[in-house]
Amino acid sequence: QKEVEQNSGPLSVPEGAIASLNCTYSDRGSQSFFWYRQYSGKSPELIMSIYSNGDKEDGRFTAQLNKASQYVSLLIRDSQPSDSATYLCAVSHDKIIFGKGTRLHILP
Amino acid sequence: DTEVTQTPKHLVMGMTNKKSLKCEQHMGHRAMYWYKQKAKKPPELMFVYSYEKLSINESVPSRFSPECPNSSLLNLHLHALQPEDSALYLCASSQVANNEQFFGPGTRLTVL
């Protein structure tokens, strides 16, 4: 059974701090890794894609991938109240598998 | 155009009704997906179309019938649904070569 594990949270982070979201996966053949943000009642929005080991930065977001450890993370710098949402980690080999999501709450 | 659109936004139907959900994308993607999402759960894959052919059916009950009339359109035909089918139905699209999926806004379905 291919699995993607995330801490369900809620993860509470003060405004302006760094939020760190983590994800582990079981399928060593996974090739593509994604982070989606989902606001309550809305659809998932793709915020980061990463395909190779290391870091990938896009604005306030940094995705980190370590295939040896089967670990992918998302860092959000200078957290804003608008970052409060559920963050879904998704991992793809032949098809995409979603984690259950981490609820992030940014404290004003 | 980097948008996936879905209609209707909301749908209420009885268990004997027949209705259809529609999805459209103009990103040149040749893979399209239907997902079902219940509250506080991740999206659950239902169907995948690749080059307008059904490539994955995740053992979905036959009361859900997908259709891909062309590379831009995806339909989901609904018939004799159950109240437990009430959920947010999401359409997504991607390039076939990767799984970088872009989601539409969803259709909120309520079955009475």
Side-chain angles (χ1 to χ4, degrees):
Chain A
Q1 180 84 4
K2 298 174 184 176
E3 294 183 337
V4 176
E5 299 285 344
Q6 295 182 256
N7 189 320
S8 62
L11 174 65
S12 295
V13 173
E15 184 176 354
I18 295 175
S20 178
L21 303 163
N22 304 315
C23 172
T24 58
Y25 59 94
S26 62
D27 181 5
R28 283 198 172 272
S30 299
Q31 299 165 335
S32 309
F33 306 85
F34 309 101
W35 284 99
Y36 287 85
R37 178 176 63 198
Q38 188 170 25
Y39 294 113
S40 180
K42 302 294 187 183
S43 64
E45 175 192 5
L46 179 66
I47 53 172
M48 289 291 283
S49 306
I50 187 165
Y51 302 97
S52 54
N53 279 331
D55 294 0
K56 179 182 177 184
E57 187 175 318
D58 183 0
R60 296 186 296 113
F61 298 99
T62 299
Q64 299 174 316
L65 175 61
N66 184 325
K67 289 186 179 179
S69 301
Q70 296 173 248
Y71 176 91
V72 59
S73 65
L74 179 71
L75 302 178
I76 307 174
R77 287 182 298 283
D78 187 23
S79 296
Q80 303 296 311
S82 59
D83 295 325
S84 297
T86 295
Y87 288 80
L88 297 164
C89 173
V91 173
S92 173
H93 182 183
D94 48 355
K95 63 181 181 181
I96 201 168
I97 298 174
F98 285 90
K100 293 184 178 178
T102 298
R103 284 182 296 135
L104 176 64
H105 183 209
I106 305 301
L107 303 168
Chain B
D1 190 347
T2 58
E3 193 179 41
V4 178
T5 59
Q6 290 186 245
T7 56
K9 286 193 171 75
H10 300 277
L11 179 62
V12 179
M13 59 187 290
M15 290 191 288
T16 58
N17 292 157
K18 285 185 183 180
K19 296 285 185 184
S20 297
L21 309 185
K22 296 187 184 302
C23 174
E24 188 168 6
Q25 58 90 13
H26 293 289
M27 292 185 279
H29 291 163
R30 300 301 296 275
M32 296 186 77
Y33 311 81
W34 280 116
Y35 287 88
K36 172 183 176 180
Q37 188 176 28
K38 294 278 218 178
K40 300 191 188 302
K41 300 286 187 186
E44 179 185 338
L45 183 65
M46 300 175 72
F47 302 104
V48 180
Y49 274 82
S50 180
Y51 298 109
E52 296 86 70
K53 296 271 191 291
L54 183 65
S55 59
I56 295 178
N57 176 342
E58 290 288 310
S59 303
V60 179
S62 60
R63 57 186 185 268
F64 296 92
S65 175
E67 178 196 19
C68 189
N70 61 52
S71 60
S72 300
L73 291 174
L74 187 65
N75 298 321
L76 186 63
H77 303 297
L78 313 173
H79 174 54
L81 294 193
Q82 304 297 309
E84 59 264 28
D85 297 321
S86 298
L88 180 67
Y89 287 83
L90 296 162
C91 173
S93 70
S94 75
Q95 302 285 358
V96 173
N98 68 38
N99 246 321
E100 189 179 72
Q101 296 180 22
F102 295 86
F103 284 85
T107 293
R108 177 74 58 189
L109 175 67
T110 302
V111 182
L112 300 176

